[in-house]
Amino acid sequence: MAGIKDVAAHAGVSVATVSRVLNDSPKVSQEARTKVHAAVEALRYRPNAVARSLRTEATHTLGLIIGDILNPFFAVLARAVEDEARAAGYTVVIGNADERPEQQDHYVRTLLEHRVDGLLICPTAEITPLVEDCVEAGGPLVFLDRTLPGLNVPSVRADGTRAIHELVEHIRDLGHRRIAFISGPELLSTGRERTQAFLDAMRANGLEAREEYVEAGDFQEASGRGIAARFLDLPEPPEVIFAGDNLMALGALDEIRARGLRIPDDVALASFDDVAWFVHVDPPITAIAQPAEELGRRAVRALLERIQHRPVESVVLPARLVIRRSCGETETR
Amino acid sequence: MAGIKDVAAHAGVSVATVSRVLNDSPKVSQEARTKVHAAVEALRYRPNAVARSLRTEATHTLGLIIGDILNPFFAVLARAVEDEARAAGYTVVIGNADERPEQQDHYVRTLLEHRVDGLLICPTAEITPLVEDCVEAGGPLVFLDRTLPGLNVPSVRADGTRAIHELVEHIRDLGHRRIAFISGPELLSTGRERTQAFLDAMRANGLEAREEYVEAGDFQEASGRGIAARFLDLPEPPEVIFAGDNLMALGALDEIRARGLRIPDDVALASFDDVAWFVHVDPPITAIAQPAEELGRRAVRALLERIQHRPVESVVLPARLVIRRSCGETETR
DNA sequence: TCCGTTCGTGTAATCGTTTCCATATGCTGC
DNA sequence: GCAGCATATGGAAACGATTACACGAACGGA
């Protein structure tokens, strides 16, 4: 493949000049400019980003480590991150941690070795030595969707506390009392926060949060199904199942359907995370929607700031309740 | 950040020796080995993949350009590609063409400049000069899911012909005659093939394929909705709507629901592409499932072969019909 | 004792860029 | 006619790794 030297030879100038026109430095004659462009064209020259990065210490690449690409929430997050990064002239390399700490580590190692200019991480449960190194080394890093306790790293995430309160209130207004919650992993900030918000909301609405009505899953479909099954097997099963993310809601839905139960008459269902197809199931599922695109965009903006060594604040965006029919019809309707 | 020189100094050996232990070359003493490892540990040294790539002419990186990350089909494709690549020691950079040729071009340019070792492309409609260059230059390239006519590039894709025949047969057995097809872009191989298969299947089953019952969308939700609306507005609307991909099926579903029509009594629905939530809508949607994971895995295997300059054959895997209830109940049930 | 191997190591060239510095050229103003 | 300056250009040194090559030491067999 043609290199910059070939271009220089073909154009009859030095490599320095070629480099200058390619980076459109002002100090180059119009004549040289045209000759170089012609040569580039003729030789189908493509600058070698590897060599460039070596010299400039910048790859114009961002790393993004997400929990699970098959989870629609992360898919829209990834999409938004990519769009915003592209607009700023950056390429993003996505790593799929699959919610496994060792795979997350694999990707931070790989991305660090590839010398990405900055790293966006949706941290999995554990705080691994590697990410610790990473923050110590002070490489540009921002957490997305989730945070890790005790680490001084800016984060961009949604807060569902208010929406969860509204949801519990909505459910109570519908006349239900026994609400069960399929929570996320205790180690994940999102898991903890949602559980806490749920418990608070129950109390605030004068509802009893029974211990057997709260169980932690792992944000994957199978765990949602298993936990829903256990809830339903209880001597006094809940009237409502609230799933901590869309995948676990899918699992719960599976289990409810498999038992031939009707929603919301036999058991009602609600979910954290809103996804496109929720409106298409029968009945449409009441859910809490996170501003995923906005989170993605804000995260890369924050990261770019950090890359330029500007201080950045964490950002927290509110999630919002979208009421559909899976918990029952409201009276006014 | 510590470089190989620092490690060498700290260990009291030359950079060559450090490099040798890092690449575990056999010709190095046990003593040097331990000293180097200690130094690596102490300095938290991370090899610079950029420099390494410059020297070795290999990035151990694969590029993947997909149509739309928000389309679950591409999401599972991407996931499978990433898994298989990681197992082989490669990182993959995903480019989201968003079905736009210019954005596809943006990514092939970027990935080429980053000197990826190989490229996996799900080509959008047009055959752009850039991908043409790409095949001429002979860089390792394989098409995934779709092909481009007249280009000698190996491809890995699914063939739905057989499944479409079975679907039309199934629908006919249910007593329907008027089937409409929301086709994909004529310029996409997947679009063309599915349309052709549909037309053939109609003929083979003695059904009339009316011209007004076939219209091409762009594989996105909105077009599915619009076309479904036009079908439903026809003086004699179809009894069945068959969508050429899952997003257009979603659009059609929207439109059907918006009109308060019941499935399958007022109008039946079927889709190419099977996605997880199809089983959860009411009624569950009959669909043609593509072996997406398998496609992804086979594609990277093929690409790795090409990278090693071994000849590869195109692979075609059959899609399969999964009958649910959106076209009506079968008599035997 | 000496030659030929083997083994471990170090020196230095190299990959394709960017960029600092020096230099050549032409022009202005005295 | 020449100092002073701006402008365009080229030469060459980085960047951080890999690796061909050479070299010295140790060792065995003659």
Side-chain angles (χ1 to χ4, degrees), chain A residues 13-319:
Chain A
V13 298
S14 71
V15 295
T17 300
V18 174
S19 175
R20 277 187 281 254
V21 348
L22 260 29
N23 299 287
D24 39 38
S25 144
K27 340 211 97 204
V28 54
S29 69
Q30 192 53 49
E31 188 196 353
R33 210 174 286 276
T34 47
K35 279 191 301 184
V36 168
H37 281 134
V40 164
E41 204 59 29
L43 301 177
R44 283 155 157 36
Y45 167 71
R46 309 224 158 279
N48 185 327
V50 174
R52 189 211 310 278
S53 294
L54 179 60
R55 181 61 230 249
T56 60
E57 314 260 61
T59 52
H60 275 252
T61 294
L62 266 24
L64 168 66
I65 300 179
I66 59 179
D68 176 9
I69 187 78
L70 296 184
N71 182 330
F73 169 72
F74 285 118
V76 341
L77 210 55
R79 163 70 187 265
V81 165
E82 198 174 20
D83 282 351
E84 187 78 14
R86 178 162 20 80
Y90 282 78
T91 302
V92 1
V93 181
I94 302 176
N96 203 84
D98 205 18
E99 304 290 9
R100 302 208 305 268
E102 77 278 9
Q103 196 157 313
Q104 168 182 290
D105 261 22
H106 164 84
Y107 278 113
V108 340
R109 188 181 353 262
T110 304
L111 295 174
L112 252 26
E113 288 185 2
H114 279 80
R115 297 297 192 265
V116 294
D117 292 342
L119 213 41
L120 245 27
I121 306 186
C122 307
T124 58
E126 293 158 41
I127 158 169
T128 66
L130 246 174
V131 339
E132 220 169 351
D133 281 10
C134 208
V135 333
E136 269 171 31
L141 172 62
V142 352
F143 285 152
L144 181 48
D145 177 49
R146 307 164 176 175
T147 60
L148 282 180
L151 253 30
N152 184 26
V153 173
S155 64
V156 175
R157 59 189 219 279
D159 179 14
T161 306
R162 166 115 216 94
I164 289 177
H165 274 255
E166 288 171 15
L167 173 64
V168 170
E169 194 179 333
H170 161 72
I171 291 172
R172 192 208 50 193
D173 288 349
L174 256 18
H176 300 300
R177 292 292 169 267
R178 300 195 307 277
I179 311 179
F181 182 53
I182 305 177
S183 133
E186 193 58 31
L187 285 164
L188 253 38
S189 62
T190 43
R192 271 194 316 278
E193 284 169 14
R194 290 172 199 175
T195 307
Q196 193 53 54
F198 171 73
L199 263 19
D200 290 348
M202 289 296 276
R203 202 169 313 121
N205 280 280
L207 265 24
E208 182 195 3
R210 306 196 199 175
E211 200 157 309
E212 71 265 33
Y213 281 178
V214 176
E215 188 172 341
D218 63 1
F219 279 158
Q220 301 283 351
E221 181 173 349
S223 75
R225 175 152 194 177
I227 293 170
R230 280 193 287 283
F231 285 158
L232 264 12
D233 283 337
L234 252 22
E236 188 173 40
E239 297 160 303
V240 184
I241 294 178
F242 173 32
D245 91 332
N246 76 83
L247 259 19
M248 297 194 298
L250 183 58
L253 189 58
D254 261 337
E255 183 63 25
I256 293 169
R257 286 275 158 81
R259 293 175 179 230
L261 266 22
R262 285 165 316 154
I263 301 174
D265 306 300
D266 297 322
V267 59
L269 182 66
S271 173
F272 206 98
D273 277 354
D274 192 20
V275 296
W277 55 269
F278 272 1
V279 9
H280 292 297
V281 345
D282 183 56
I285 297 182
T286 290
I288 291 174
Q290 299 193 69
E293 295 94 349
E294 186 68 13
L295 287 176
R297 280 194 296 266
R298 298 285 281 264
V300 343
R301 265 181 255 154
L303 186 56
L304 293 179
E305 292 293 307
R306 284 226 55 175
I307 290 174
Q308 281 148 28
H309 301 103
R310 284 201 281 261
V312 311
E313 299 288 299
S314 288
V315 355
V316 176
L317 267 25

Side-chain angles (χ1 to χ4, degrees), chain B residues 261-284:
Chain B
L261 267 22
R262 284 164 318 153
I263 301 175
D265 306 299
D266 297 323
V267 58
L269 181 67
S271 172
F272 205 99
D273 279 353
D274 192 20
V275 296
W277 55 269
F278 273 1
V279 10
H280 292 296
V281 345
D282 183 56

Side-chain angles (χ1 to χ4, degrees), chain B residues 76-77 80 156 290-299 301 315 317:
Chain B
V76 340
L77 209 57
V156 175
Q290 299 194 68
E293 294 94 350
E294 187 67 13
L295 289 175
R297 279 194 296 266
R298 298 287 281 264
R301 266 181 253 154
V315 353
L317 266 25

Side-chain angles (χ1 to χ4, degrees), chain B residues 74-92:
Chain B
F74 285 119
V76 340
L77 209 57
R79 163 68 187 266
V81 165
E82 199 175 18
D83 282 350
E84 187 79 15
R86 179 163 20 82
Y90 282 79
T91 303
V92 0

Side-chain angles (χ1 to χ4, degrees), chain B:
Chain B
M1 180 168 265
I4 198 173
K5 282 206 271 266
D6 306 299
V7 176
H10 191 280
V13 299
S14 73
V15 294
T17 300
V18 175
S19 176
R20 277 186 282 253
V21 346
L22 260 29
N23 298 288
D24 39 38
S25 145
K27 342 210 96 209
V28 53
S29 68
Q30 192 52 48
E31 189 198 352
R33 209 175 286 276
T34 47
K35 279 192 300 186
V36 167
H37 280 134
V40 164
E41 205 58 27
L43 301 177
R44 282 154 158 38
Y45 167 70
R46 309 224 160 277
N48 185 327
V50 175
R52 188 212 309 279
S53 294
L54 177 60
R55 182 60 228 254
T56 60
E57 314 259 60
T59 52
H60 275 252
T61 293
L62 266 24
L64 168 65
I65 300 179
I66 59 179
D68 175 10
I69 187 77
L70 296 184
N71 183 329
F73 169 74
F74 285 119
V76 340
L77 209 57
R79 163 68 187 266
V81 165
E82 199 175 18
D83 282 350
E84 187 79 15
R86 179 163 20 82
Y90 282 79
T91 303
V92 0
V93 182
I94 302 175
N96 203 84
D98 205 18
E99 303 289 7
R100 303 209 305 266
E102 77 278 10
Q103 196 157 314
Q104 168 182 289
D105 261 22
H106 163 83
Y107 278 114
V108 341
R109 186 179 358 263
T110 303
L111 295 173
L112 252 28
E113 289 185 0
H114 278 81
R115 297 296 191 268
V116 293
D117 293 341
L119 215 40
L120 244 28
I121 306 186
C122 307
T124 58
E126 292 159 44
I127 160 171
T128 65
L130 244 176
V131 339
E132 220 169 352
D133 281 11
C134 207
V135 334
E136 268 170 32
L141 175 61
V142 352
F143 286 152
L144 181 49
D145 176 49
R146 308 163 175 174
T147 59
L148 281 180
L151 253 31
N152 183 26
V153 173
S155 63
V156 175
R157 57 190 220 280
D159 179 14
T161 307
R162 167 114 216 92
I164 290 177
H165 275 254
E166 288 172 13
L167 173 64
V168 170
E169 195 179 332
H170 161 72
I171 292 172
R172 191 207 52 194
D173 288 350
L174 256 15
H176 300 300
R177 292 292 169 267
R178 301 195 308 277
I179 311 180
F181 183 52
I182 304 177
S183 135
E186 193 59 30
L187 286 164
L188 253 38
S189 62
T190 43
R192 272 195 316 277
E193 285 171 13
R194 291 172 198 175
T195 308
Q196 194 53 52
F198 171 73
L199 264 18
D200 290 349
M202 289 296 277
R203 202 169 314 119
N205 280 279
L207 264 24
E208 181 195 5
R210 307 194 198 176
E211 199 156 308
E212 71 266 33
Y213 281 179
V214 176
E215 187 172 341
D218 62 2
F219 278 158
Q220 302 282 349
E221 181 172 348
S223 76
R225 176 153 195 176
I227 293 170
R230 281 194 287 284
F231 284 159
L232 263 12
D233 282 337
L234 252 22
E236 188 173 42
E239 298 159 303
V240 183
I241 293 179
F242 174 31
D245 89 331
N246 75 84
L247 259 20
M248 298 194 299
L250 183 57
L253 189 57
D254 261 336
E255 183 62 25
I256 293 170
R257 286 276 159 79
R259 292 174 181 234
L261 267 22
R262 284 164 318 153
I263 301 175
D265 306 299
D266 297 323
V267 58
L269 181 67
S271 172
F272 205 99
D273 279 353
D274 192 20
V275 296
W277 55 269
F278 273 1
V279 10
H280 292 296
V281 345
D282 183 56
I285 297 182
T286 290
I288 290 174
Q290 299 194 68
E293 294 94 350
E294 187 67 13
L295 289 175
R297 279 194 296 266
R298 298 287 281 264
V300 343
R301 266 181 253 154
L303 185 57
L304 292 179
E305 291 293 306
R306 286 225 55 178
I307 289 173
Q308 281 147 31
H309 302 103
R310 286 200 279 262
V312 310
E313 299 288 300
S314 287
V315 353
V316 177
L317 266 25
R320 80 175 206 288
L321 173 64
V322 353
I323 295 179
R324 289 193 270 253
R325 302 205 313 274
S326 65
C327 291
E329 301 280 345
T330 57
E331 302 88 0
T332 61
R333 208 179 157 264

